[in-house]
Amino acid sequence: LKYLSTFRLYIIPHGSPPFKEEYSNINVSNDVFSLLNVFSFSPTHLQASARFALTSKTSKPLINAFNQIPGNETEKKTTLDQALRSVLGDQIHKASCDDYLSLIYLSIDAVTEGICSATTPFLLLGDVLDCLPLDQCDKIFSFVEENVSTWKSNSFYTAGKNYLLRMCNDLLRRLSKSQNTVFCGRIQLFLARLFPLSEKSGLNLQSQFNLDNITVFNKNEQESTLGQKHTEEKEEGMEVEEGEMGEDDTPAPCSIPIDYNLYRKFWTLQDYFRNPVQCYDKFSWMTFLKFSDETLAVFKSYKLDDMQASKRKLEELRASDGEHVYFAKFLTSEKLMDLQLSDSNFRRHILLQYLILFQYLKGQVKFKSSSSALNDDQTTWIEETTKLVYQLLREIPPDGDKFATMVEHILNTEENWNVWKNEGCPSFVKESDELTRLWNLNQDNMEACKSDSREFMPSLDEFFAEAIEQADPANMVEEEYKVVRNPNYGWRALRLLSRRSPHFFQPTNQKFKSLADYLDSMVSKLAKELPDIPSEEIKTGEEDDDDNGDNLLKDSNDSDKLVTNQQMDDIAAKLGAQWKMLASHLEMKAAELREIETDSEDVDMQAKLLLVAWQDREGTQATVESLITALNAAGFSQIADGLNEA
Ligand SMILES: *[C@@H]1O[C@H](CO)[C@@H](O)[C@H](O)[C@H]1NC(C)=O
Ligand SMILES: *[C@@H]1O[C@H](CO)[C@@H](O)[C@H](O)[C@H]1NC(C)=O
Ligand SMILES: CC(=O)N[C@H]1CO[C@H](CO)[C@@H](O)[C@@H]1O
């Protein structure tokens, strides 16, 4: 069958038993060959059923046909898979999108009915998309998008995810990144919906840059149409060059003095955004710094006028019918420069590029080489410039403030993704054995929550019994030993009163100096109301501590017991100077050992510090059992035995 799935496309459409000679160059065993012979008889019948199923829009005829053909389940499924593909093959040059979609629907039904392989709908989709022109692929893809829940369901996801990924990549390869931006975006969005958040296949894991994205501009000053005047001479403002705009076009007059120098410096900066690593080179950095300062100075001195910008924006919106125009590359014609510099969107693009670059330069990136570090001057400059850039963004109309805030928010979120990547893209699903165990204690968790054993709130008489007893002068309990003086008790008493006693909410004119005084008065009120309690039943506050259910988690299994402080003291005393032998079995780092040694001279203390450090690190995993394992491994079996018996 493995061979079969590779060759069936070729073999079965012949409609007659294949001839062995045809495959003499392929190493097909005789068994496989006889299988092929059996199969080649049935597809025509099945194809007819599939066509009938298509016209009648139900999968019934297919199920019937399926039951009639010979062979076991797998063989029959393979046959039907092939029949469906053949029907598609016959249609491919004459049918409409809807016909293809019906066929794919039929195959989805067939998968649900269990009569064809789960991969078939994807193979069919792939075939269709491969054969159709792009405008029709668009329609088919809408169907793929709308049925994302089907693809994600159990019966399809595993079988289809790789097919879908390949299909999407094939489509992306055919599409133009600059002309089919919307379709490309839809494909990306679809993939984002299909795959889980932590899926790594589309990730730029090594944080590589798109070095091919070079921004071309006129580097030859001689060929420039821009003046080469010095900035000083142009303070008055520069006239728009003749012939730059069409006659009907009346752009906002631009007062920014543009010469070839500014043009060159401005576009040279793009190279740093393309490949930020250059910034770590001393000389490149100097250039970057100089050009940036000049460019930003231009942005700073020539602000965009609110009125003018909003008007342009409105016109743009009207002209583009509300649709935003996106260019995958900057247009770098000299003639456009003044228009660009007075365009709010364009300025935003450039400023945002700065922020992205700075984030990279400052950030922790796993794949940055160790030489890629900023010096103090660079850090200071970046900090100042970041502030400047944000300020400039805020000043760009319309809605500058909103835009800047949004950008800041997005870049902060990006930081989280960087951290996630640095940590090796851990899954977002948190596994917890303990939680899994707790969930499975009872079949019905709602029922388990309602059970009496989950009722941890004591009754008033239980809780206050001791306080009432102590309040009785006959018992002669000294003030300082009363439980109401215990802040812990007081806190719990207040909580309990608020839940169980109406007294808590009654307004009173009495003023209490302390919580204990207040509780005293409450206790005397309660004493009058509550039934007498025999004193054997009285519980102390300390014992109550154990009633809060934590122990359910800890003591449920002896071997899960945590190492106690006492046990650590005992072991430390026994280990003494030999503690270092244990250290490596507790996976302590050399740095931690050095720290322990500097913290104390006393070897017993050092041994204790080691155990504490281990316990801090392991948390709930710092069990007696794992300590015993480590002790045994380090050759301290006697100490381990001592711990075992305890
Ligand atoms: C390529 O560079 C342009 C600037 O010219 C930038 O806007 C765009 O995002 C870059 N594209 C990629 C894929 O890096
Ligand atoms: C207690 O833990 C041991 C070892 O981890 C395990 O074999 C045993 O099944 C556990 N017992 C219970 C009741 O969970
Ligand atoms: C299950 C599901 O979402 N099916 C949808 C697949 O796409 C078509 C349209 O292309 C919808 O009509 C279905 O509801």
Side-chain angles (χ1 to χ4, degrees):
L1 282 171
K2 212 168 76 194
Y3 285 113
L4 195 61
S5 56
T6 326
F7 300 131
R8 62 189 166 176
L9 231 191
Y10 182 47
I11 296 162
I12 298 175
H14 284 258
S16 57
F19 301 106
K20 197 164 182 177
E21 302 78 77
E22 278 184 49
Y23 311 104
S24 52
N25 55 340
I26 305 169
N27 189 8
V28 183
S29 76
N30 276 332
D31 291 347
V32 172
F33 207 77
S34 43
L35 252 179
L36 291 181
N37 279 320
V38 174
F39 275 3
S40 51
F41 289 113
S42 21
T44 2
H45 173 47
L46 266 179
Q47 279 178 36
S49 306
R51 284 203 194 85
F52 180 52
L54 274 177
T55 32
S56 62
K57 293 207 183 317
T58 93
S59 52
K60 283 260 163 54
L62 271 188
I63 301 176
N64 291 341
F66 184 82
N67 291 334
Q68 282 163 24
I69 55 174
N72 65 29
E73 284 292 298
T74 328
E75 291 163 2
K76 291 198 299 191
K77 275 190 185 178
T78 317
T79 316
L80 183 56
D81 295 346
Q82 182 51 42
L84 286 168
R85 277 187 92 171
S86 305
V87 171
L88 182 72
D90 291 348
Q91 287 186 345
I92 204 79
H93 55 285
K94 50 189 182 230
S96 71
C97 275
D98 289 336
D99 294 334
Y100 301 133
L101 292 182
S102 325
L103 185 67
I104 293 166
Y105 251 136
L106 189 66
S107 70
I108 294 179
D109 275 351
V111 175
T112 321
E113 297 288 349
I115 57 174
C116 86
S117 321
T119 50
T120 303
F122 303 103
L123 288 172
L124 294 178
L125 263 177
D127 287 352
V128 170
L129 290 174
D130 277 351
C131 297
L132 291 185
L134 282 174
D135 56 332
Q136 293 189 46
C137 287
D138 195 313
K139 275 195 198 155
I140 303 279
F141 194 75
S142 303
F143 164 85
V144 176
E145 276 173 320
E146 279 161 31
N147 286 277
V148 71
S149 58
T150 309
W151 315 134
K152 286 184 86 160
S153 66
N154 280 339
S155 30
F156 291 100
Y157 185 70
T158 325
K161 62 176 183 169
N162 286 336
Y163 285 99
L164 287 172
L165 183 61
R166 199 173 314 139
M167 189 187 89
C168 288
N169 282 334
D170 285 346
L171 266 180
L172 283 173
R173 219 166 291 134
R174 287 168 66 189
L175 293 166
S176 150
K177 281 206 173 60
S178 52
Q179 292 184 31
N180 306 102
T181 38
V182 174
F183 198 176
C184 287
R186 275 170 55 201
I187 296 178
Q188 302 286 8
L189 280 177
F190 168 74
L191 288 174
R193 283 167 66 200
L194 180 70
F195 288 106
L197 199 54
S198 49
E199 168 72 30
K200 273 182 265 185
S201 57
L203 204 62
N204 179 1
L205 265 180
Q206 303 194 16
S207 312
Q208 280 162 339
F209 298 103
N210 179 7
L211 296 181
D212 295 337
N213 191 11
I214 294 170
T215 303
V216 183
F217 61 96
N218 173 23
K219 293 207 171 89
N220 187 342
E221 190 165 356
Q222 258 66 51
E223 284 171 15
S224 170
T225 55
L226 289 168
Q228 281 120 52
K229 304 160 207 167
H230 297 287
T231 3
E232 294 83 32
E233 295 171 15
K234 301 194 303 164
E235 289 297 69
E236 266 100 344
M238 205 182 95
E239 240 71 67
V240 173
E241 300 266 348
E242 296 179 318
E244 275 179 23
M245 321 317 159
E247 271 88 281
D248 315 324
D249 221 340
T250 42
C254 171
S255 54
I256 306 172
I258 294 165
D259 58 6
Y260 177 74
N261 234 348
L262 177 62
Y263 170 82
R264 181 179 60 89
K265 289 174 179 170
F266 184 85
W267 287 117
T268 305
L269 285 170
Q270 285 300 320
D271 206 50
Y272 293 87
F273 300 135
R274 176 187 67 99
N275 182 13
V277 181
Q278 294 179 73
C279 292
Y280 294 112
D281 175 79
K282 212 167 115 198
F283 292 103
S284 307
W285 173 261
M286 297 304 288
T287 317
F288 173 70
L289 199 89
K290 189 158 163 283
F291 291 4
S292 293
D293 281 342
E294 288 179 29
T295 300
L296 291 173
V298 169
F299 279 22
K300 206 164 133 187
S301 341
Y302 300 90
K303 304 239 161 87
L304 295 184
D305 163 21
D306 200 355
M307 289 299 292
Q308 178 193 326
S310 340
K311 220 172 95 198
R312 287 173 69 87
K313 191 101 189 143
L314 274 180
E315 275 165 15
E316 250 172 54
L317 277 178
R318 223 170 283 140
S320 62
D321 221 4
E323 234 174 273
H324 184 70
V325 185
Y326 169 77
F327 292 101
K329 290 293 296 172
F330 287 131
L331 303 172
T332 57
S333 160
E334 293 178 347
K335 295 177 180 177
L336 290 173
M337 184 100 192
D338 65 331
L339 282 177
Q340 287 172 323
L341 288 186
S342 36
D343 180 85
S344 51
N345 267 338
F346 181 80
R347 283 201 184 194
R348 283 175 175 172
H349 276 281
I350 302 293
L351 292 173
L352 184 54
Q353 282 185 309
Y354 270 104
L355 294 178
I356 294 172
L357 173 73
F358 292 165
Q359 184 165 35
Y360 173 78
L361 293 178
K362 283 188 302 187
Q364 287 280 323
V365 177
K366 201 155 119 191
F367 288 91
K368 230 163 34 174
S369 82
S370 54
S371 59
S372 302
L374 297 173
N375 62 32
D376 289 348
D377 286 349
Q378 289 175 318
T379 313
T380 321
W381 185 83
I382 287 180
E383 265 162 28
E384 279 165 9
T385 313
T386 307
K387 272 187 216 139
L388 173 63
V389 167
Y390 272 118
Q391 187 204 330
L392 289 172
L393 275 178
R394 272 190 205 96
E395 287 167 359
I396 295 178
D399 298 327
D401 259 329
K402 197 169 152 195
F403 185 80
T405 316
M406 201 57 81
V407 162
E408 199 168 4
H409 175 75
I410 290 172
L411 290 178
N412 283 340
T413 328
E414 205 60 22
E415 203 50 55
N416 296 335
W417 287 110
N418 286 343
V419 173
W420 174 74
K421 237 161 85 166
N422 284 341
E423 287 170 357
C425 317
S427 160
F428 293 99
V429 179
K430 296 249 183 292
E431 300 282 358
S432 161
D433 292 344
E434 189 56 29
L435 277 181
T436 312
R437 189 184 68 78
L438 286 176
W439 278 114
N440 292 320
L441 282 180
N442 193 320
Q443 295 282 309
D444 183 349
N445 282 304
M446 278 325 273
E447 214 35 59
C449 291
K450 286 188 208 149
S451 119
D452 285 344
S453 63
R454 302 299 305 169
E455 172 71 88
F456 297 121
M457 203 190 343
S459 68
L460 280 174
D461 41 341
E462 249 178 85
F463 186 81
F464 283 102
E466 189 184 10
I468 291 172
E469 167 129 339
Q470 290 176 345
D472 187 345
N475 289 333
M476 292 195 298
V477 178
E478 281 175 51
E479 201 54 30
E480 58 184 302
Y481 296 120
K482 285 189 175 170
V483 281
V484 289
R485 304 274 139 200
N486 178 348
N488 191 351
Y489 182 88
W491 180 75
R492 290 196 287 162
L494 281 184
R495 283 182 51 126
L496 183 62
L497 284 170
S498 75
R499 301 289 290 277
R500 292 226 198 260
S501 168
H503 296 306
F504 186 77
F505 296 101
Q506 270 159 16
T508 165
N509 292 330
Q510 265 177 290
K511 290 212 170 71
F512 299 104
K513 272 214 220 86
S514 68
L515 176 60
D517 291 345
Y518 171 75
L519 286 179
D520 271 340
S521 106
M522 281 294 171
V523 165
S524 65
K525 274 188 198 159
L526 287 169
K528 288 179 202 134
E529 293 168 6
L530 296 175
D532 277 348
I533 304 139
S535 43
E536 300 89 72
E537 281 186 20
I538 291 172
K539 292 184 176 176
T540 67
E542 271 70 19
E543 277 167 4
D544 278 351
D545 281 345
D546 292 340
D547 269 351
N548 57 16
D550 281 355
N551 298 357
L552 282 179
L553 306 186
K554 286 183 195 150
D555 290 346
S556 58
N557 194 332
D558 265 3
S559 52
D560 288 350
K561 255 189 193 155
L562 298 184
V563 177
T564 65
N565 213 17
Q566 181 61 47
Q567 284 170 325
M568 289 201 290
D569 282 340
D570 291 347
I571 298 173
K574 288 181 192 158
L575 279 175
Q578 308 174 77
W579 64 270
K580 276 193 180 171
M581 288 167 65
L582 179 63
S584 63
H585 295 275
L586 296 179
E587 283 161 39
M588 285 290 157
K589 298 201 187 78
E592 287 171 303
L593 299 190
R594 275 197 298 279
E595 209 169 290
I596 291 177
E597 280 175 314
T598 44
D599 276 357
S600 170
E601 306 265 83
D602 177 37
V603 287
D604 287 356
M605 191 59 194
Q606 290 176 348
K608 175 78 192 283
L609 285 173
L610 169 74
L611 293 169
V612 171
W614 167 76
Q615 192 185 41
D616 284 352
R617 191 192 65 208
E618 295 292 309
T620 56
Q621 303 297 310
T623 58
V624 174
E625 201 190 6
S626 48
L627 189 54
I628 289 178
T629 314
L631 282 167
N632 279 326
F636 299 112
S637 44
Q638 258 182 330
I639 304 181
D641 292 344
L643 196 56
N644 230 343
E645 284 150 22

